[in-house]
Amino acid sequence: MTSRNEQLFAAAARVIPGGVNSPVRAFRSVGGTPVFFARGSGAHVWDVDGKAYIDYVGSWGPLILGHAHPSVIAAVQQAVSEGLSFGAPTAGEVEIAELLCRRVPGLEQVRLVSSGTEATMSAIRLARGHTGRSRIIKFEGCYHGHADALLVKAGSGALTLGNPSSAGVPAETAAATLVLEYNNLEMLDAAFARDGDQIACVIVEPVVGNMNLVQPAPGFLEAIRSLCTRHGAVLIFDEVMTGFRVGPAGAQGLFGITADLVTLGKIVGGGMPLGAFGGRRDIMASVAPLGPVYQAGTLSGNPIAVAAGLATLKLLEAPDFYMRLASATHALTTGLAVAAAAHGVVFSAQSIGGMFGVYFRAQPPRSYAEVMECDVPAFNRFFHAMLDAGIYLAPSAFEAGFVSSAHKSADIEKTLAAADQYFAQSA
Ligand SMILES: *Cc1c(COP(=O)(O)O)cnc(C)c1O
Protein backbone atom coordinates (compact mmCIF):
# COMPACT_ATOMS: atom_id res chain seq x y z
CA MET A 1 0.00 0.00 0.00
CA THR A 2 1.42 3.40 -0.89
CA SER A 3 1.48 6.04 1.81
CA ARG A 4 -0.60 9.20 1.70
CA ASN A 5 2.72 11.01 1.28
CA GLU A 6 3.64 9.03 -1.85
CA GLN A 7 0.15 9.58 -3.30
CA LEU A 8 0.36 13.32 -2.67
CA PHE A 9 3.81 13.65 -4.20
CA ALA A 10 2.71 11.75 -7.31
CA ALA A 11 -0.33 14.03 -7.63
CA ALA A 12 1.79 17.13 -6.98
CA ALA A 13 4.32 16.19 -9.66
CA ARG A 14 1.52 16.15 -12.25
CA VAL A 15 0.39 19.73 -11.62
CA ILE A 16 3.35 21.52 -10.01
CA PRO A 17 6.85 21.52 -11.57
CA GLY A 18 8.86 18.95 -9.61
CA GLY A 19 5.91 18.65 -7.23
CA VAL A 20 7.07 21.65 -5.15
CA ASN A 21 6.69 25.41 -5.00
CA SER A 22 10.37 26.08 -4.21
CA PRO A 23 13.12 23.80 -5.56
CA VAL A 24 15.05 22.78 -2.42
CA ARG A 25 11.86 21.23 -1.01
CA ALA A 26 12.01 18.54 -3.70
CA PHE A 27 14.79 16.54 -1.91
CA ARG A 28 16.76 16.42 -5.19
CA SER A 29 19.99 16.98 -3.30
CA VAL A 30 19.46 14.22 -0.69
CA GLY A 31 17.30 11.87 -2.80
CA GLY A 32 14.00 10.30 -1.80
CA THR A 33 10.49 11.69 -1.55
CA PRO A 34 9.85 15.06 0.12
CA VAL A 35 7.84 14.89 3.32
CA PHE A 36 4.39 16.53 3.20
CA PHE A 37 3.58 18.17 6.50
CA ALA A 38 0.12 18.29 8.01
CA ARG A 39 0.69 20.36 11.15
CA GLY A 40 3.23 21.76 13.57
CA SER A 41 3.36 22.67 17.25
CA GLY A 42 6.39 24.12 19.01
CA ALA A 43 9.54 22.31 17.90
CA HIS A 44 7.57 19.45 16.32
CA VAL A 45 5.90 18.73 12.99
CA TRP A 46 3.70 15.84 11.87
CA ASP A 47 3.63 14.49 8.34
CA VAL A 48 0.49 13.48 6.45
CA ASP A 49 0.96 9.85 7.56
CA GLY A 50 1.06 10.87 11.22
CA LYS A 51 4.80 10.52 11.88
CA ALA A 52 6.33 13.15 14.21
CA TYR A 53 9.64 14.94 13.72
CA ILE A 54 11.77 17.41 15.65
CA ASP A 55 12.04 20.27 13.15
CA TYR A 56 15.39 22.04 12.55
CA VAL A 57 14.23 23.88 9.42
CA GLY A 58 11.52 26.08 10.93
CA SER A 59 10.15 27.02 7.49
CA TRP A 60 13.76 27.96 6.54
CA GLY A 61 14.17 30.48 9.33
CA PRO A 62 10.98 32.39 10.15
CA LEU A 63 9.76 30.18 13.00
CA ILE A 64 12.07 31.40 15.76
CA LEU A 65 9.26 30.76 18.28
CA GLY A 66 8.46 27.32 16.88
CA HIS A 67 5.27 26.30 15.09
CA ALA A 68 1.88 27.77 15.91
CA HIS A 69 2.95 29.87 18.89
CA PRO A 70 -0.30 30.72 20.74
CA SER A 71 0.36 34.49 20.82
CA VAL A 72 1.14 34.61 17.12
CA ILE A 73 -1.90 32.53 16.22
CA ALA A 74 -4.14 34.73 18.39
CA ALA A 75 -2.80 37.91 16.77
CA VAL A 76 -3.40 36.46 13.31
CA GLN A 77 -6.92 35.33 14.20
CA GLN A 78 -7.76 38.77 15.54
CA ALA A 79 -6.40 40.44 12.39
CA VAL A 80 -8.20 37.99 10.09
CA SER A 81 -11.53 38.80 11.70
CA GLU A 82 -11.02 42.47 10.77
CA GLY A 83 -10.39 41.92 7.06
CA LEU A 84 -7.61 40.42 4.96
CA SER A 85 -6.33 43.38 2.98
CA PHE A 86 -7.18 47.02 2.29
CA GLY A 87 -4.55 48.33 -0.11
CA ALA A 88 -4.54 51.42 2.09
CA PRO A 89 -2.46 52.36 5.16
CA THR A 90 -3.18 50.59 8.47
CA ALA A 91 -2.04 51.27 12.04
CA GLY A 92 -0.13 47.97 12.29
CA GLU A 93 2.25 49.03 9.53
CA VAL A 94 3.25 52.11 11.52
CA GLU A 95 3.76 50.03 14.65
CA ILE A 96 5.98 47.44 12.96
CA ALA A 97 7.96 50.14 11.11
CA GLU A 98 8.59 51.95 14.41
CA LEU A 99 9.60 48.70 16.06
CA LEU A 100 12.01 47.83 13.24
CA CYS A 101 13.54 51.32 13.29
CA ARG A 102 14.09 51.03 17.04
CA ARG A 103 15.65 47.58 16.90
CA VAL A 104 17.64 47.46 13.66
CA PRO A 105 20.80 49.62 13.68
CA GLY A 106 20.86 52.34 11.01
CA LEU A 107 17.21 51.88 10.10
CA GLU A 108 15.77 55.40 9.84
CA GLN A 109 13.02 54.51 7.39
CA VAL A 110 11.68 51.19 6.18
CA ARG A 111 9.39 49.96 3.41
CA LEU A 112 7.42 46.71 3.79
CA VAL A 113 7.25 44.15 0.98
CA SER A 114 6.04 40.55 0.75
CA SER A 115 9.24 38.47 0.47
CA GLY A 116 12.99 38.54 0.92
CA THR A 117 13.43 38.51 -2.85
CA GLU A 118 11.35 41.65 -3.18
CA ALA A 119 13.36 43.32 -0.42
CA THR A 120 16.77 42.68 -2.04
CA MET A 121 15.53 43.43 -5.56
CA SER A 122 14.11 46.76 -4.37
CA ALA A 123 17.25 47.61 -2.36
CA ILE A 124 19.45 47.01 -5.42
CA ARG A 125 17.26 49.24 -7.60
CA LEU A 126 17.32 51.89 -4.88
CA ALA A 127 21.13 51.75 -4.60
CA ARG A 128 21.44 52.11 -8.37
CA GLY A 129 18.89 54.92 -8.54
CA HIS A 130 20.45 56.76 -5.62
CA THR A 131 24.04 56.56 -6.89
CA GLY A 132 23.33 56.77 -10.62
CA ARG A 133 25.69 53.78 -11.08
CA SER A 134 24.85 50.33 -12.39
CA ARG A 135 27.54 47.85 -11.27
CA ILE A 136 26.90 45.76 -8.18
CA ILE A 137 29.11 43.40 -6.17
CA LYS A 138 27.96 40.15 -4.59
CA PHE A 139 29.83 37.17 -3.15
CA GLU A 140 29.91 33.59 -4.36
CA GLY A 141 27.66 31.34 -2.26
CA CYS A 142 25.54 34.18 -0.87
CA TYR A 143 21.88 33.93 -1.87
CA HIS A 144 19.77 37.05 -2.09
CA GLY A 145 16.55 35.72 -3.58
CA HIS A 146 15.77 35.10 -7.23
CA ALA A 147 15.86 38.51 -8.92
CA ASP A 148 17.78 38.58 -12.25
CA ALA A 149 20.66 40.78 -11.07
CA LEU A 150 21.41 38.36 -8.23
CA LEU A 151 21.22 35.01 -10.05
CA VAL A 152 24.79 35.43 -11.19
CA LYS A 153 27.94 33.37 -10.81
CA ALA A 154 31.55 34.41 -11.23
CA GLY A 155 32.93 34.77 -14.75
CA SER A 156 35.82 32.67 -15.99
CA GLY A 157 38.59 34.74 -14.40
CA ALA A 158 38.99 36.87 -11.27
CA LEU A 159 37.18 40.20 -11.63
CA THR A 160 35.58 39.27 -14.95
CA LEU A 161 31.93 39.97 -15.75
CA GLY A 162 29.39 37.72 -14.07
CA ASN A 163 27.50 34.98 -15.91
CA PRO A 164 23.85 34.05 -15.37
CA SER A 165 23.42 31.18 -12.88
CA SER A 166 19.90 30.53 -14.20
CA ALA A 167 18.52 30.22 -17.70
CA GLY A 168 16.36 33.21 -18.52
CA VAL A 169 18.66 35.80 -16.93
CA PRO A 170 19.97 38.03 -19.74
CA ALA A 171 23.78 37.98 -20.10
CA GLU A 172 23.77 41.78 -20.14
CA THR A 173 21.98 41.86 -16.76
CA ALA A 174 24.46 39.40 -15.25
CA ALA A 175 27.37 41.37 -16.68
CA ALA A 176 26.61 44.29 -14.35
CA THR A 177 27.13 42.02 -11.31
CA LEU A 178 30.68 41.33 -10.16
CA VAL A 179 30.92 38.11 -8.12
CA LEU A 180 33.78 37.95 -5.61
CA GLU A 181 34.96 35.25 -3.22
CA TYR A 182 33.54 35.54 0.30
CA ASN A 183 36.18 36.45 2.91
CA ASN A 184 38.73 37.34 0.19
CA LEU A 185 40.02 40.83 1.06
CA GLU A 186 42.54 41.08 -1.77
CA MET A 187 39.89 40.44 -4.38
CA LEU A 188 37.63 43.03 -2.80
CA ASP A 189 40.41 45.65 -2.77
CA ALA A 190 41.25 44.89 -6.40
CA ALA A 191 37.61 45.23 -7.46
CA PHE A 192 37.28 48.65 -5.84
CA ALA A 193 40.70 49.77 -7.12
CA ARG A 194 39.58 48.98 -10.66
CA ASP A 195 35.87 49.88 -10.66
CA GLY A 196 35.29 51.87 -7.44
CA ASP A 197 33.61 54.84 -9.12
CA GLN A 198 31.14 52.59 -11.00
CA ILE A 199 29.95 50.45 -8.11
CA ALA A 200 26.42 51.23 -6.96
CA CYS A 201 26.40 48.79 -4.09
CA VAL A 202 27.85 45.77 -2.35
CA ILE A 203 25.26 43.25 -1.15
CA VAL A 204 26.40 40.66 1.36
CA GLU A 205 25.04 38.13 3.83
CA PRO A 206 26.97 39.29 6.93
CA VAL A 207 26.83 35.67 8.13
CA VAL A 208 26.15 33.35 5.20
CA GLY A 209 23.30 30.92 5.71
CA ASN A 210 22.82 29.88 2.11
CA MET A 211 25.97 27.82 1.54
CA ASN A 212 25.52 25.93 4.78
CA LEU A 213 26.79 28.37 7.47
CA VAL A 214 29.90 30.46 6.79
CA GLN A 215 31.08 33.13 9.20
CA PRO A 216 32.79 36.33 8.11
CA ALA A 217 36.56 36.34 8.73
CA PRO A 218 37.79 39.04 11.14
CA GLY A 219 38.07 42.31 9.23
CA PHE A 220 36.05 41.21 6.17
CA LEU A 221 32.85 43.13 6.92
CA GLU A 222 34.87 46.09 8.22
CA ALA A 223 36.79 46.22 4.92
CA ILE A 224 33.56 46.18 2.89
CA ARG A 225 32.20 48.97 5.08
CA SER A 226 35.22 51.22 4.64
CA LEU A 227 35.58 50.60 0.88
CA CYS A 228 31.90 51.44 0.32
CA THR A 229 32.25 54.64 2.33
CA ARG A 230 35.43 55.67 0.52
CA HIS A 231 34.00 55.03 -2.96
CA GLY A 232 30.46 56.28 -2.39
CA ALA A 233 28.92 52.81 -2.88
CA VAL A 234 25.85 51.74 -0.89
CA LEU A 235 26.48 48.88 1.54
CA ILE A 236 23.52 46.50 1.72
CA PHE A 237 23.49 43.93 4.51
CA ASP A 238 21.10 41.19 3.46
CA GLU A 239 19.75 40.20 6.88
CA VAL A 240 16.73 38.32 5.53
CA MET A 241 18.05 35.27 7.37
CA THR A 242 20.29 36.76 10.09
CA GLY A 243 17.90 39.53 11.15
CA PHE A 244 16.54 38.72 14.65
CA ARG A 245 18.19 35.28 14.24
CA VAL A 246 21.84 35.77 15.24
CA GLY A 247 20.95 38.29 17.96
CA PRO A 248 18.46 41.04 18.86
CA ALA A 249 20.08 43.55 16.48
CA GLY A 250 21.04 41.03 13.80
CA ALA A 251 24.53 40.76 12.38
CA GLN A 252 24.89 44.54 12.48
CA GLY A 253 24.55 44.45 16.25
CA LEU A 254 26.80 41.41 16.59
CA PHE A 255 29.70 42.87 14.60
CA GLY A 256 29.15 46.55 15.41
CA ILE A 257 28.91 47.53 11.74
CA THR A 258 26.11 49.64 10.32
CA ALA A 259 25.14 49.18 6.67
CA ASP A 260 23.52 51.88 4.53
CA LEU A 261 20.57 49.63 3.66
CA VAL A 262 19.35 46.45 5.32
CA THR A 263 17.01 43.84 3.88
CA LEU A 264 14.78 41.78 6.15
CA GLY A 265 12.37 38.88 5.72
CA LYS A 266 11.73 35.46 7.30
CA ILE A 267 11.47 36.20 11.09
CA VAL A 268 9.95 39.68 10.56
CA GLY A 269 6.83 37.99 9.17
CA GLY A 270 6.68 35.30 11.85
CA GLY A 271 5.77 32.69 9.21
CA MET A 272 3.63 34.94 7.00
CA PRO A 273 4.89 36.53 3.74
CA LEU A 274 6.57 39.77 4.84
CA GLY A 275 9.86 41.39 3.96
CA ALA A 276 11.32 44.86 4.40
CA PHE A 277 14.13 47.08 3.22
CA GLY A 278 15.30 50.24 4.86
CA GLY A 279 18.19 52.29 6.13
CA ARG A 280 19.57 55.80 5.76
CA ARG A 281 16.89 58.45 5.46
CA ASP A 282 18.67 60.26 2.62
CA ILE A 283 18.76 57.06 0.57
CA MET A 284 15.17 56.06 1.40
CA ALA A 285 14.13 59.54 0.19
CA SER A 286 14.82 58.29 -3.34
CA VAL A 287 11.97 55.73 -3.07
CA ALA A 288 8.58 56.57 -4.71
CA PRO A 289 6.49 58.57 -3.92
CA LEU A 290 9.22 60.77 -2.36
CA GLY A 291 11.79 60.11 -5.06
CA PRO A 292 12.38 58.70 -8.53
CA VAL A 293 12.98 55.01 -7.68
CA TYR A 294 9.77 53.09 -8.35
CA GLN A 295 8.71 50.37 -5.93
CA ALA A 296 5.20 49.16 -5.06
CA GLY A 297 3.05 46.19 -4.01
CA THR A 298 -0.69 45.44 -3.93
CA LEU A 299 -0.34 43.34 -0.76
CA SER A 300 2.67 45.19 0.75
CA GLY A 301 2.25 45.69 4.49
CA ASN A 302 -0.57 43.14 4.50
CA PRO A 303 -2.38 43.37 7.87
CA ILE A 304 -2.30 39.61 8.60
CA ALA A 305 1.42 39.35 7.86
CA VAL A 306 2.08 42.47 9.91
CA ALA A 307 0.09 41.05 12.85
CA ALA A 308 2.10 37.80 12.78
CA GLY A 309 5.35 39.74 12.50
CA LEU A 310 4.54 42.14 15.33
CA ALA A 311 3.45 39.34 17.68
CA THR A 312 6.66 37.46 16.91
CA LEU A 313 9.02 40.43 17.24
CA LYS A 314 7.50 41.47 20.58
CA LEU A 315 8.14 38.04 22.07
CA LEU A 316 11.83 38.28 21.14
CA GLU A 317 12.19 41.05 23.71
CA ALA A 318 11.85 38.56 26.58
CA PRO A 319 14.84 38.72 28.93
CA ASP A 320 17.54 36.18 28.05
CA PHE A 321 15.69 35.16 24.87
CA TYR A 322 18.81 35.19 22.70
CA MET A 323 21.06 33.80 25.41
CA ARG A 324 18.81 30.75 25.78
CA LEU A 325 18.41 30.34 22.03
CA ALA A 326 22.17 30.53 21.46
CA SER A 327 22.90 28.10 24.26
CA ALA A 328 20.38 25.51 23.00
CA THR A 329 21.84 25.82 19.49
CA HIS A 330 25.39 25.56 20.82
CA ALA A 331 24.47 22.47 22.87
CA LEU A 332 23.22 20.84 19.67
CA THR A 333 26.34 21.58 17.58
CA THR A 334 28.87 20.73 20.29
CA GLY A 335 26.96 17.53 21.07
CA LEU A 336 26.99 16.51 17.41
CA ALA A 337 30.71 17.23 17.08
CA VAL A 338 31.50 15.25 20.24
CA ALA A 339 29.44 12.26 19.05
CA ALA A 340 31.12 12.31 15.62
CA ALA A 341 34.59 12.55 17.14
CA ALA A 342 33.87 9.66 19.51
CA HIS A 343 33.22 7.43 16.52
CA GLY A 344 35.99 8.81 14.31
CA VAL A 345 33.64 10.49 11.81
CA VAL A 346 35.14 13.44 9.87
CA PHE A 347 32.72 16.15 10.92
CA SER A 348 32.52 19.68 12.28
CA ALA A 349 29.73 21.99 13.39
CA GLN A 350 29.24 25.55 14.57
CA SER A 351 26.47 27.89 15.62
CA ILE A 352 25.81 31.59 15.87
CA GLY A 353 22.70 32.70 17.77
CA GLY A 354 19.89 30.39 16.66
CA MET A 355 21.57 29.31 13.39
CA PHE A 356 23.86 26.34 12.86
CA GLY A 357 25.99 24.55 10.29
CA VAL A 358 26.98 20.88 10.21
CA TYR A 359 29.78 19.81 7.85
CA PHE A 360 31.17 16.47 6.81
CA ARG A 361 34.59 18.13 6.73
CA ALA A 362 37.26 18.46 9.44
CA GLN A 363 36.84 22.23 9.90
CA PRO A 364 33.99 24.70 9.28
CA PRO A 365 34.42 26.20 5.78
CA ARG A 366 35.29 29.86 5.15
CA SER A 367 34.38 30.15 1.47
CA TYR A 368 32.19 28.60 -1.21
CA ALA A 369 35.15 26.54 -2.46
CA GLU A 370 35.64 25.10 1.03
CA VAL A 371 31.92 24.39 1.40
CA MET A 372 32.16 22.40 -1.84
CA GLU A 373 34.80 20.16 -0.21
CA CYS A 374 32.21 18.74 2.24
CA ASP A 375 31.38 15.05 1.78
CA VAL A 376 27.87 15.31 0.29
CA PRO A 377 27.11 11.54 0.16
CA ALA A 378 28.04 11.33 3.87
CA PHE A 379 25.63 14.18 4.65
CA ASN A 380 22.88 12.55 2.60
CA ARG A 381 23.20 9.25 4.51
CA PHE A 382 23.16 11.15 7.81
CA PHE A 383 20.11 13.16 6.67
CA HIS A 384 18.08 10.03 5.87
CA ALA A 385 19.10 8.22 9.06
CA MET A 386 17.99 11.24 11.07
CA LEU A 387 14.76 11.55 9.08
CA ASP A 388 13.97 7.89 9.86
CA ALA A 389 14.65 8.63 13.53
CA GLY A 390 12.14 11.52 13.46
CA ILE A 391 14.62 14.41 13.12
CA TYR A 392 13.93 16.81 10.24
CA LEU A 393 17.10 18.54 9.04
CA ALA A 394 17.37 20.77 5.97
CA PRO A 395 17.29 18.43 2.95
CA SER A 396 20.63 19.62 1.53
CA ALA A 397 24.27 19.68 2.63
CA PHE A 398 24.36 23.35 1.63
CA GLU A 399 21.76 24.85 3.94
CA ALA A 400 22.00 26.21 7.47
CA GLY A 401 19.80 24.81 10.24
CA PHE A 402 17.65 26.60 12.80
CA VAL A 403 16.73 26.12 16.43
CA SER A 404 13.69 27.84 17.94
CA SER A 405 12.83 28.89 21.48
CA ALA A 406 10.40 25.92 21.51
CA HIS A 407 13.27 23.39 21.30
CA LYS A 408 13.67 21.99 24.80
CA SER A 409 16.64 20.08 26.18
CA ALA A 410 14.71 16.84 25.69
CA ASP A 411 14.53 17.61 21.95
CA ILE A 412 18.26 18.33 21.76
CA GLU A 413 19.07 15.18 23.75
CA LYS A 414 16.87 13.02 21.55
CA THR A 415 18.57 14.47 18.48
CA LEU A 416 22.04 13.82 19.90
CA ALA A 417 21.13 10.23 20.84
CA ALA A 418 19.91 9.57 17.28
CA ALA A 419 23.08 11.09 15.83
CA ASP A 420 25.31 9.11 18.20
CA GLN A 421 23.59 5.88 17.22
CA TYR A 422 24.02 6.68 13.53
CA PHE A 423 27.68 7.68 13.86
CA ALA A 424 28.39 4.50 15.87
CA GLN A 425 27.04 2.21 13.16
CA SER A 426 28.41 4.26 10.23
CA ALA A 427 31.96 4.24 11.60
C1 LIG B 1 15.67 33.49 2.15
C2 LIG B 1 16.61 34.58 1.72
C3 LIG B 1 16.27 35.49 0.71
C4 LIG B 1 15.02 35.36 -0.12
O1 LIG B 1 13.87 35.48 0.63
P1 LIG B 1 12.48 34.89 0.03
O2 LIG B 1 11.47 35.30 1.04
O3 LIG B 1 12.69 33.42 -0.11
O4 LIG B 1 12.28 35.55 -1.29
C5 LIG B 1 17.13 36.55 0.47
N1 LIG B 1 18.27 36.67 1.16
C6 LIG B 1 18.64 35.81 2.11
C7 LIG B 1 19.90 36.03 2.86
C8 LIG B 1 17.83 34.72 2.41
O5 LIG B 1 18.23 33.83 3.34
Side-chain angles (χ1 to χ4, degrees):
M1 202 187 74
T2 57
S3 64
R4 170 100 179 109
N5 199 88
E6 295 289 349
Q7 287 168 4
L8 273 173
F9 188 56
R14 284 193 286 276
V15 285
I16 302 173
V20 292
N21 283 311
S22 197
V24 72
R25 298 180 196 171
F27 274 38
R28 287 284 167 100
S29 162
V30 291
T33 307
V35 181
F36 280 66
F37 289 133
R39 67 188 179 92
S41 175
H44 304 125
V45 286
W46 286 263
D47 70 19
V48 290
D49 293 306
K51 177 172 169 156
Y53 304 82
I54 302 170
D55 180 20
Y56 290 104
V57 178
S59 190
W60 299 96
L63 302 183
I64 192 162
L65 301 172
H67 292 265
H69 189 287
S71 307
V72 179
I73 299 298
V76 167
Q77 283 172 337
Q78 175 63 35
V80 163
S81 71
E82 289 160 359
L84 299 183
S85 178
F86 303 100
T90 54
E93 291 163 79
V94 185
E95 193 183 349
I96 200 168
E98 285 175 347
L99 187 155
L100 291 172
C101 288
R102 264 199 317 276
R103 307 259 288 274
V104 180
L107 213 70
E108 294 174 330
Q109 287 209 319
V110 63
R111 168 73 49 94
L112 301 179
V113 295
S114 300
S115 70
T117 293
E118 250 190 283
T120 56
M121 181 187 81
S122 307
I124 299 270
R125 182 181 306 136
L126 174 56
R128 284 173 160 163
H130 181 76
T131 58
R133 303 171 179 179
S134 55
R135 290 243 168 130
I136 67 172
I137 288 180
K138 82 175 281 285
F139 297 92
E140 194 173 25
C142 288
Y143 176 69
H144 304 292
H146 63 93
D148 283 0
L150 296 163
L151 289 181
V152 181
K153 60 181 184 231
S156 49
L159 303 191
T160 52
L161 306 178
N163 290 323
S165 64
S166 161
V169 173
E172 44 289 12
T173 303
T177 302
L178 191 57
V179 182
L180 307 181
E181 189 179 47
Y182 197 78
N183 279 335
N184 186 330
L185 285 168
E186 283 154 32
M187 218 177 172
L188 184 69
D189 277 332
F192 269 98
R194 195 188 67 182
D195 294 333
D197 60 349
Q198 297 171 50
I199 295 168
C201 66
V202 175
I203 185 166
V204 62
E205 281 187 82
V207 174
V208 195
N210 284 291
M211 50 168 161
N212 207 319
L213 172 61
V214 172
Q215 301 223 34
F220 179 61
L221 298 174
E222 289 81 353
I224 301 178
R225 176 64 279 178
S226 70
L227 284 165
C228 283
T229 304
R230 188 165 347 131
H231 293 273
V234 174
L235 172 55
I236 305 172
F237 267 13
D238 181 358
E239 297 229 44
V240 169
M241 185 182 291
T242 53
F244 300 98
R245 169 56 67 182
V246 297
Q252 291 196 111
L254 213 55
F255 298 108
I257 297 171
T258 306
D260 302 308
L261 292 178
V262 178
T263 54
L264 297 164
K266 299 193 170 118
I267 289 173
V268 295
M272 293 290 289
L274 188 73
F277 67 99
R280 272 168 43 192
R281 188 179 298 276
D282 63 312
I283 301 179
M284 293 304 284
S286 294
V287 178
L290 288 183
V293 177
Y294 192 68
Q295 191 279 328
T298 300
L299 294 174
S300 290
N302 173 265
I304 316 306
V306 165
L310 268 174
T312 300
L313 295 174
K314 285 177 184 168
L315 287 165
L316 307 183
E317 284 168 13
D320 293 346
F321 182 91
Y322 283 98
M323 210 204 67
R324 287 163 187 271
L325 181 70
S327 84
T329 315
H330 189 69
L332 174 71
T333 51
T334 45
L336 288 171
V338 166
H343 300 295
V345 176
V346 178
F347 179 91
S348 53
Q350 65 178 340
S351 69
I352 177 163
M355 244 170 113
F356 66 89
V358 297
Y359 323 92
F360 285 82
R361 184 179 188 279
Q363 294 291 327
R366 290 156 302 180
S367 67
Y368 183 73
E370 290 189 0
V371 170
M372 288 299 133
E373 292 166 7
C374 291
D375 184 342
V376 175
F379 172 82
N380 292 350
R381 290 190 295 272
F382 175 66
F383 169 83
H384 278 291
M386 295 296 274
L387 191 67
D388 288 345
I391 317 284
Y392 190 74
L393 298 171
S396 161
F398 305 118
E399 301 288 347
F402 303 101
V403 168
S404 77
S405 57
H407 286 76
K408 301 298 170 213
S409 20
D411 298 309
I412 306 287
E413 278 159 27
K414 191 178 165 198
T415 306
L416 294 178
D420 187 72
Q421 199 182 358
Y422 170 72
F423 288 142
Q425 59 90 62
S426 79

